[in-house]
Amino acid sequence: MVANTPPPAARTRGAEPPAAGRRDSYTVESLLAVTVEVFNARGYDGTSMEDLSRAAGISKSSIYHHVRGKEELLRLAVGRALDGLFAILDEPRAVEGRPVERLEHVVRRTAEVLLAELPYVTLLLRVRGNTAAEQWALGRRRDFDHRVAELVRAAAADGDLRGDVEPRLATRLLFGMINSIVEWYHPDAEADGGTEAAERIVEAVVRLAFGGLRRTS
Amino acid sequence: MVANTPPPAARTRGAEPPAAGRRDSYTVESLLAVTVEVFNARGYDGTSMEDLSRAAGISKSSIYHHVRGKEELLRLAVGRALDGLFAILDEPRAVEGRPVERLEHVVRRTAEVLLAELPYVTLLLRVRGNTAAEQWALGRRRDFDHRVAELVRAAAADGDLRGDVEPRLATRLLFGMINSIVEWYHPDAEADGGTEAAERIVEAVVRLAFGGLRRTS
């Protein structure tokens, strides 16, 4: 996973001057892995091309060899998160069967994609600003939320969801729970690099989202 | 609620020069209401005393008449949120009865306090940094989380919570859901100023947290 294994260059940031003639062995993908770390640490607004150059250990002109600039890097990084999320909606189990089962699949897979693409989804969830790339990301995020909210409404119309919580509000709280993972999950702190923990988190999300905390039997 | 009704001066920010000899009619409380808005909009790190002076429409020296500086304003603002949250833990329904009922009370009241003190809790949840005031806030927040996690463990030990989700993970996801409210709830957008919506949100939180989305009957 690119997200969790930045290339060696990314680990040396700050250890040497930015444009030290270091050989540029980056691909757009590995450059993105470094970029997304810096955006998440400093904020998109607070990140300059200088910061990216220093973190990547290559000159700004080397970065411009790969992309047109900071805004394109943002678009590529959040695009990766969005592509992963939208792909879920086309999976067979998201389009076939009862809405409540499709919804359960989408909830499970959304948590999985969030964990697999953690830095990219973290960046997507923190986008707030007014540049064209940020507005585009916010719009696509809203589209995704609307698609899921439709599924919640369809499941509610079938009588498969509880009737005493509005679908729109349920969708917001449900995604609030899932999205909160980016705030407290730190795969590096997990003994096995996070895989086992990620599976337990996904199961917990699905169980709590659909069944709640209280024992019912 | 101070949080939702900043004094008139707060609405004029940017409309006049900062230190125009404007009469300082602030109390610490009304100054905090302006401050917390600015901290939430610009981030604590990104806010200067100059920004606060401009937003309040009074000079920096007038601000220093009320508080020692930016860090004290942060401490007072997040202190207000923390005091509201910790007070919940001493309420009779939080200390008497079965742990699962005490937990339900704490979840309900936490959502209520978050909504009543929205800007202050928003600031608390966004604190990240390394100043003494920020570290203190993070520590107090962890204490609160530990107190709630103990209640979750006690309720689980009684057999009142589902046995297939670890208490620590359940606590994180539960608070992830509650805390997400600060990201999407905008009381100004509600027709009645937010009271009715706030009550519906609190009910939805309690129902989803304990019973989940799926209809069980």
Side-chain angles (χ1 to χ4, degrees):
Chain A
M1 200 87 280
V2 172
N4 292 328
T5 56
R11 304 195 184 282
T12 65
R13 65 169 172 270
E16 54 193 288
R22 186 194 190 84
R23 203 172 145 262
D24 172 15
S25 58
Y26 281 97
T27 60
V28 170
E29 191 168 308
S30 61
L31 185 60
L32 268 191
V34 177
T35 300
V36 76
E37 276 191 71
V38 183
F39 284 165
N40 284 335
R42 304 180 61 93
Y44 174 67
D45 281 343
T47 301
S48 63
M49 286 299 287
E50 194 64 34
D51 295 324
L52 294 177
S53 158
R54 199 174 300 114
I58 59 175
S59 67
K60 281 194 276 183
S61 62
S62 295
I63 295 178
Y64 285 119
H65 173 73
H66 294 287
V67 292
R68 266 166 301 172
K70 199 177 95 159
E71 191 159 357
E72 186 176 357
L73 284 164
L74 180 75
R75 200 180 276 263
L76 290 168
V78 299
R80 176 169 162 155
L82 287 161
D83 288 349
L85 292 169
F86 274 94
I88 294 168
L89 302 176
D90 295 327
E91 291 173 356
R93 295 187 57 188
V95 292
E96 292 158 15
R98 279 185 88 80
V100 69
E101 302 304 329
R102 293 162 54 198
L103 177 64
E104 184 174 319
H105 178 77
V106 169
V107 166
R108 175 184 302 279
R109 293 283 299 127
T110 298
E112 284 176 357
V113 168
L114 177 148
L115 286 158
E117 304 285 353
L118 194 63
Y120 298 91
V121 178
T122 300
L123 181 64
L124 174 66
L125 294 176
R126 291 188 182 161
V127 163
R128 287 283 180 283
N130 292 309
T131 64
E134 289 169 286
Q135 287 298 315
W136 166 81
L138 287 171
R140 290 258 287 158
R141 220 189 121 185
R142 272 194 299 272
D143 290 345
F144 183 80
D145 292 348
H146 288 159
R147 295 279 298 275
V148 179
E150 276 170 29
L151 213 42
V152 172
R153 269 190 292 275
D158 281 353
D160 288 333
L161 301 188
R162 60 186 310 135
D164 57 2
V165 175
E166 281 180 279
R168 193 180 67 138
L169 187 47
T171 306
R172 282 172 161 174
L173 289 169
L174 179 59
F175 276 87
M177 181 172 78
I178 296 173
N179 294 343
S180 78
I181 296 169
V182 309
E183 301 298 331
W184 52 260
Y185 178 58
H186 305 290
D188 297 345
E190 305 291 333
D192 63 350
T195 314
E196 194 202 57
E199 284 167 15
R200 277 190 291 116
I201 292 169
V202 170
E203 281 309 318
V205 163
V206 173
R207 287 171 185 163
L208 292 179
F210 288 88
L213 266 176
R214 199 184 290 265
R215 185 186 294 273
T216 49
S217 61
Chain B
M1 201 88 280
V2 171
N4 291 326
T5 54
R11 303 195 185 283
T12 65
R13 64 169 175 268
E16 56 194 285
R22 185 194 192 83
R23 201 173 146 264
D24 171 14
S25 58
Y26 281 98
T27 60
V28 170
E29 188 168 310
S30 62
L31 185 61
L32 269 190
V34 177
T35 300
V36 76
E37 276 191 71
V38 182
F39 284 165
N40 283 335
R42 304 180 63 94
Y44 174 67
D45 281 344
T47 301
S48 64
M49 285 297 288
E50 194 65 32
D51 294 325
L52 294 177
S53 158
R54 201 175 297 112
I58 59 174
S59 67
K60 281 195 275 184
S61 62
S62 296
I63 295 179
Y64 285 118
H65 172 74
H66 294 287
V67 291
R68 266 167 301 173
K70 201 178 94 161
E71 192 159 356
E72 186 175 357
L73 284 164
L74 180 74
R75 199 180 277 264
L76 290 169
V78 299
R80 177 170 162 153
L82 286 162
D83 289 348
L85 292 169
F86 274 93
I88 295 168
L89 302 176
D90 295 326
E91 290 173 355
R93 295 186 59 188
V95 291
E96 292 157 15
R98 279 185 88 80
V100 68
E101 301 305 329
R102 293 162 54 198
L103 178 64
E104 183 174 320
H105 177 75
V106 168
V107 165
R108 175 186 302 277
R109 292 284 297 129
T110 298
E112 284 176 356
V113 168
L114 179 147
L115 287 158
E117 303 285 351
L118 193 63
Y120 298 91
V121 178
T122 301
L123 180 64
L124 174 66
L125 294 175
R126 290 188 184 161
V127 163
R128 286 285 180 280
N130 292 310
T131 63
E134 288 169 286
Q135 287 298 316
W136 166 80
L138 288 171
R140 291 257 288 159
R141 219 189 121 184
R142 272 194 300 272
D143 290 344
F144 183 80
D145 291 349
H146 288 160
R147 295 278 300 273
V148 179
E150 277 169 29
L151 213 42
V152 172
R153 270 190 294 275
D158 280 352
D160 288 333
L161 300 189
R162 59 186 312 134
D164 58 2
V165 175
E166 282 179 278
R168 195 180 67 138
L169 188 47
T171 307
R172 281 172 161 174
L173 290 168
L174 179 59
F175 277 87
M177 181 172 79
I178 297 173
N179 294 343
S180 78
I181 296 169
V182 308
E183 302 298 331
W184 52 260
Y185 178 58
H186 304 291
D188 297 346
E190 307 290 333
D192 63 353
T195 314
E196 191 200 60
E199 283 166 15
R200 277 191 290 115
I201 292 169
V202 171
E203 280 309 317
V205 163
V206 174
R207 286 169 185 163
L208 292 178
F210 289 88
L213 265 175
R214 199 184 291 264
R215 185 186 294 272
T216 48
S217 62

mmCIF file of all heavy atoms in Angstrom, chain B residues 141-164:
data_model
loop_
_atom_site.group_PDB
_atom_site.id
_atom_site.type_symbol
_atom_site.label_atom_id
_atom_site.label_comp_id
_atom_site.label_asym_id
_atom_site.label_seq_id
_atom_site.Cartn_x
_atom_site.Cartn_y
_atom_site.Cartn_z
ATOM 1 N N ARG B 141 -9.174 15.973 28.173
ATOM 2 C CA ARG B 141 -10.066 15.257 27.261
ATOM 3 C C ARG B 141 -9.861 13.755 27.394
ATOM 4 O O ARG B 141 -10.812 12.982 27.420
ATOM 5 C CB ARG B 141 -9.738 15.695 25.820
ATOM 6 C CG ARG B 141 -10.959 15.858 24.953
ATOM 7 C CD ARG B 141 -10.570 16.066 23.502
ATOM 8 N NE ARG B 141 -11.163 15.025 22.696
ATOM 9 C CZ ARG B 141 -10.960 14.862 21.409
ATOM 10 N NH1 ARG B 141 -10.165 15.691 20.758
ATOM 11 N NH2 ARG B 141 -11.551 13.892 20.758
ATOM 12 N N ARG B 142 -8.598 13.342 27.494
ATOM 13 C CA ARG B 142 -8.312 11.911 27.687
ATOM 14 C C ARG B 142 -8.904 11.418 29.004
ATOM 15 O O ARG B 142 -9.447 10.317 29.064
ATOM 16 C CB ARG B 142 -6.793 11.674 27.679
ATOM 17 C CG ARG B 142 -6.228 11.445 26.283
ATOM 18 C CD ARG B 142 -4.809 10.890 26.358
ATOM 19 N NE ARG B 142 -3.890 11.796 27.048
ATOM 20 C CZ ARG B 142 -3.211 12.775 26.434
ATOM 21 N NH1 ARG B 142 -3.315 12.951 25.126
ATOM 22 N NH2 ARG B 142 -2.402 13.542 27.116
ATOM 23 N N ASP B 143 -8.810 12.228 30.066
ATOM 24 C CA ASP B 143 -9.395 11.828 31.353
ATOM 25 C C ASP B 143 -10.887 11.566 31.203
ATOM 26 O O ASP B 143 -11.412 10.587 31.733
ATOM 27 C CB ASP B 143 -9.210 12.945 32.408
ATOM 28 C CG ASP B 143 -7.761 13.096 32.834
ATOM 29 O OD1 ASP B 143 -6.956 12.172 32.572
ATOM 30 O OD2 ASP B 143 -7.442 14.149 33.431
ATOM 31 N N PHE B 144 -11.558 12.471 30.486
ATOM 32 C CA PHE B 144 -13.002 12.293 30.294
ATOM 33 C C PHE B 144 -13.280 11.007 29.536
ATOM 34 O O PHE B 144 -14.135 10.215 29.927
ATOM 35 C CB PHE B 144 -13.578 13.509 29.536
ATOM 36 C CG PHE B 144 -15.067 13.439 29.353
ATOM 37 C CD1 PHE B 144 -15.924 13.791 30.386
ATOM 38 C CD2 PHE B 144 -15.617 13.009 28.148
ATOM 39 C CE1 PHE B 144 -17.303 13.712 30.231
ATOM 40 C CE2 PHE B 144 -16.990 12.933 27.980
ATOM 41 C CZ PHE B 144 -17.837 13.291 29.029
ATOM 42 N N ASP B 145 -12.526 10.778 28.474
ATOM 43 C CA ASP B 145 -12.713 9.557 27.681
ATOM 44 C C ASP B 145 -12.492 8.308 28.540
ATOM 45 O O ASP B 145 -13.222 7.324 28.425
ATOM 46 C CB ASP B 145 -11.744 9.529 26.486
ATOM 47 C CG ASP B 145 -12.093 10.590 25.444
ATOM 48 O OD1 ASP B 145 -13.184 11.196 25.541
ATOM 49 O OD2 ASP B 145 -11.277 10.820 24.529
ATOM 50 N N HIS B 146 -11.476 8.360 29.420
ATOM 51 C CA HIS B 146 -11.208 7.204 30.286
ATOM 52 C C HIS B 146 -12.362 6.954 31.243
ATOM 53 O O HIS B 146 -12.732 5.806 31.477
ATOM 54 C CB HIS B 146 -9.911 7.413 31.067
ATOM 55 C CG HIS B 146 -8.693 7.301 30.210
ATOM 56 N ND1 HIS B 146 -7.471 7.823 30.568
ATOM 57 C CD2 HIS B 146 -8.498 6.718 28.994
ATOM 58 C CE1 HIS B 146 -6.593 7.581 29.608
ATOM 59 N NE2 HIS B 146 -7.204 6.924 28.641
ATOM 60 N N ARG B 147 -12.914 8.035 31.773
ATOM 61 C CA ARG B 147 -14.048 7.881 32.699
ATOM 62 C C ARG B 147 -15.217 7.214 31.983
ATOM 63 O O ARG B 147 -15.892 6.357 32.546
ATOM 64 C CB ARG B 147 -14.489 9.249 33.254
ATOM 65 C CG ARG B 147 -13.439 9.944 34.128
ATOM 66 C CD ARG B 147 -13.431 9.429 35.551
ATOM 67 N NE ARG B 147 -14.700 9.617 36.230
ATOM 68 C CZ ARG B 147 -15.066 10.725 36.895
ATOM 69 N NH1 ARG B 147 -14.235 11.746 36.984
ATOM 70 N NH2 ARG B 147 -16.243 10.799 37.497
ATOM 71 N N VAL B 148 -15.470 7.604 30.746
ATOM 72 C CA VAL B 148 -16.586 7.004 29.999
ATOM 73 C C VAL B 148 -16.246 5.561 29.627
ATOM 74 O O VAL B 148 -17.096 4.673 29.730
ATOM 75 C CB VAL B 148 -16.933 7.818 28.738
ATOM 76 C CG1 VAL B 148 -18.074 7.159 27.983
ATOM 77 C CG2 VAL B 148 -17.313 9.241 29.108
ATOM 78 N N ALA B 149 -15.000 5.318 29.243
ATOM 79 C CA ALA B 149 -14.603 3.959 28.876
ATOM 80 C C ALA B 149 -14.774 3.009 30.070
ATOM 81 O O ALA B 149 -15.171 1.842 29.895
ATOM 82 C CB ALA B 149 -13.157 3.936 28.377
ATOM 83 N N GLU B 150 -14.514 3.513 31.285
ATOM 84 C CA GLU B 150 -14.738 2.688 32.491
ATOM 85 C C GLU B 150 -16.204 2.289 32.621
ATOM 86 O O GLU B 150 -16.521 1.162 32.997
ATOM 87 C CB GLU B 150 -14.368 3.477 33.758
ATOM 88 C CG GLU B 150 -12.895 3.468 34.098
ATOM 89 C CD GLU B 150 -12.582 4.487 35.204
ATOM 90 O OE1 GLU B 150 -13.450 4.779 36.064
ATOM 91 O OE2 GLU B 150 -11.449 5.006 35.177
ATOM 92 N N LEU B 151 -17.070 3.235 32.308
ATOM 93 C CA LEU B 151 -18.512 2.981 32.384
ATOM 94 C C LEU B 151 -18.910 1.941 31.330
ATOM 95 O O LEU B 151 -19.728 1.055 31.588
ATOM 96 C CB LEU B 151 -19.234 4.319 32.146
ATOM 97 C CG LEU B 151 -20.543 4.607 32.839
ATOM 98 C CD1 LEU B 151 -20.544 4.177 34.284
ATOM 99 C CD2 LEU B 151 -20.835 6.115 32.727
ATOM 100 N N VAL B 152 -18.318 2.052 30.136
ATOM 101 C CA VAL B 152 -18.600 1.071 29.082
ATOM 102 C C VAL B 152 -18.142 -0.315 29.546
ATOM 103 O O VAL B 152 -18.869 -1.298 29.410
ATOM 104 C CB VAL B 152 -17.903 1.454 27.750
ATOM 105 C CG1 VAL B 152 -18.033 0.339 26.722
ATOM 106 C CG2 VAL B 152 -18.490 2.755 27.200
ATOM 107 N N ARG B 153 -16.957 -0.373 30.151
ATOM 108 C CA ARG B 153 -16.455 -1.671 30.634
ATOM 109 C C ARG B 153 -17.355 -2.238 31.727
ATOM 110 O O ARG B 153 -17.625 -3.444 31.748
ATOM 111 C CB ARG B 153 -15.022 -1.532 31.157
ATOM 112 C CG ARG B 153 -13.972 -1.774 30.069
ATOM 113 C CD ARG B 153 -12.578 -1.876 30.654
ATOM 114 N NE ARG B 153 -12.156 -0.603 31.218
ATOM 115 C CZ ARG B 153 -11.585 0.370 30.497
ATOM 116 N NH1 ARG B 153 -11.325 0.201 29.207
ATOM 117 N NH2 ARG B 153 -11.248 1.497 31.060
ATOM 118 N N ALA B 154 -17.823 -1.385 32.630
ATOM 119 C CA ALA B 154 -18.692 -1.856 33.709
ATOM 120 C C ALA B 154 -20.016 -2.384 33.149
ATOM 121 O O ALA B 154 -20.517 -3.428 33.582
ATOM 122 C CB ALA B 154 -18.942 -0.724 34.709
ATOM 123 N N ALA B 155 -20.559 -1.678 32.166
ATOM 124 C CA ALA B 155 -21.820 -2.122 31.551
ATOM 125 C C ALA B 155 -21.609 -3.429 30.793
ATOM 126 O O ALA B 155 -22.469 -4.315 30.796
ATOM 127 C CB ALA B 155 -22.361 -1.033 30.625
ATOM 128 N N ALA B 156 -20.446 -3.559 30.153
ATOM 129 C CA ALA B 156 -20.131 -4.797 29.434
ATOM 130 C C ALA B 156 -19.970 -5.950 30.423
ATOM 131 O O ALA B 156 -20.449 -7.068 30.187
ATOM 132 C CB ALA B 156 -18.857 -4.620 28.601
ATOM 133 N N ALA B 157 -19.326 -5.673 31.567
ATOM 134 C CA ALA B 157 -19.120 -6.710 32.583
ATOM 135 C C ALA B 157 -20.454 -7.199 33.145
ATOM 136 O O ALA B 157 -20.596 -8.367 33.516
ATOM 137 C CB ALA B 157 -18.224 -6.168 33.706
ATOM 138 N N ASP B 158 -21.449 -6.320 33.195
ATOM 139 C CA ASP B 158 -22.792 -6.700 33.640
ATOM 140 C C ASP B 158 -23.523 -7.538 32.599
ATOM 141 O O ASP B 158 -24.610 -8.030 32.856
ATOM 142 C CB ASP B 158 -23.660 -5.439 33.856
ATOM 143 C CG ASP B 158 -23.380 -4.761 35.177
ATOM 144 O OD1 ASP B 158 -22.631 -5.338 35.991
ATOM 145 O OD2 ASP B 158 -23.922 -3.663 35.389
ATOM 146 N N GLY B 159 -22.972 -7.613 31.392
ATOM 147 C CA GLY B 159 -23.651 -8.335 30.324
ATOM 148 C C GLY B 159 -24.730 -7.506 29.642
ATOM 149 O O GLY B 159 -25.549 -8.041 28.895
ATOM 150 N N ASP B 160 -24.725 -6.198 29.874
ATOM 151 C CA ASP B 160 -25.765 -5.349 29.276
ATOM 152 C C ASP B 160 -25.385 -4.809 27.896
ATOM 153 O O ASP B 160 -26.227 -4.239 27.202
ATOM 154 C CB ASP B 160 -26.080 -4.169 30.202
ATOM 155 C CG ASP B 160 -26.848 -4.619 31.440
ATOM 156 O OD1 ASP B 160 -27.556 -5.641 31.350
ATOM 157 O OD2 ASP B 160 -26.724 -3.953 32.479
ATOM 158 N N LEU B 161 -24.092 -4.939 27.533
ATOM 159 C CA LEU B 161 -23.669 -4.495 26.191
ATOM 160 C C LEU B 161 -23.316 -5.721 25.360
ATOM 161 O O LEU B 161 -22.970 -6.776 25.893
ATOM 162 C CB LEU B 161 -22.458 -3.566 26.285
ATOM 163 C CG LEU B 161 -22.621 -2.281 27.076
ATOM 164 C CD1 LEU B 161 -21.388 -1.388 26.878
ATOM 165 C CD2 LEU B 161 -23.882 -1.513 26.665
ATOM 166 N N ARG B 162 -23.371 -5.565 24.041
ATOM 167 C CA ARG B 162 -23.011 -6.670 23.170
ATOM 168 C C ARG B 162 -21.581 -7.116 23.487
ATOM 169 O O ARG B 162 -20.715 -6.307 23.804
ATOM 170 C CB ARG B 162 -23.164 -6.278 21.709
ATOM 171 C CG ARG B 162 -22.308 -5.095 21.304
ATOM 172 C CD ARG B 162 -22.605 -4.663 19.882
ATOM 173 N NE ARG B 162 -22.616 -5.822 19.016
ATOM 174 C CZ ARG B 162 -23.551 -6.079 18.103
ATOM 175 N NH1 ARG B 162 -24.521 -5.212 17.904
ATOM 176 N NH2 ARG B 162 -23.509 -7.169 17.382
ATOM 177 N N GLY B 163 -21.328 -8.397 23.372
ATOM 178 C CA GLY B 163 -20.038 -8.934 23.794
ATOM 179 C C GLY B 163 -19.007 -9.006 22.679
ATOM 180 O O GLY B 163 -17.854 -9.361 22.921
ATOM 181 N N ASP B 164 -19.413 -8.641 21.450
ATOM 182 C CA ASP B 164 -18.509 -8.864 20.327
ATOM 183 C C ASP B 164 -17.803 -7.600 19.829
ATOM 184 O O ASP B 164 -17.234 -7.585 18.735
ATOM 185 C CB ASP B 164 -19.257 -9.554 19.168
ATOM 186 C CG ASP B 164 -20.460 -8.745 18.705
ATOM 187 O OD1 ASP B 164 -20.699 -7.637 19.251
ATOM 188 O OD2 ASP B 164 -21.177 -9.220 17.799
#
